[in-house]
Amino acid sequence: MHTPGTTAVRPAAARNAPAPAAVVLGPLGLFTSFAVVGGLFGAAGLASGNIALRVSGRTDTGRGRALVGLLLPLAAIAVSAMA
């Protein structure tokens, strides 16, 4: 129950845990995409971003991070494929 004058805290189940993982794996994959490892980090980030986007639809949290977690790994996979 929310008491006036206090800040509301979301329950742990409402947080979007895959979103930060996707945001970390995306740039990591992008920075290492000139090596073969970048595509692997990109694939893991893409999977995490996809899961985070689905979770954000249910919980209304982390949608922006989930989108970044989808776009950066896609760029990492593309750069890795070109390299």
Side-chain angles (χ1 to χ4, degrees):
M1 182 156 115
H2 181 68
T3 306
T6 62
T7 58
V9 177
R10 291 181 186 251
R15 293 192 184 119
N16 193 346
V23 171
V24 168
L25 287 170
L28 185 63
L30 194 58
F31 291 134
T32 60
S33 62
F34 296 105
V36 178
V37 181
L40 298 174
F41 284 128
L46 190 63
S48 296
N50 190 17
I51 293 169
L53 195 59
R54 281 193 253 146
V55 170
S56 75
R58 281 193 320 246
T59 62
D60 289 333
T61 59
R63 181 167 172 78
R65 286 179 289 171
L67 289 174
V68 169
L70 279 174
L71 296 176
L72 285 176
L74 281 174
I77 291 169
V79 171
S80 182
M82 284 189 278

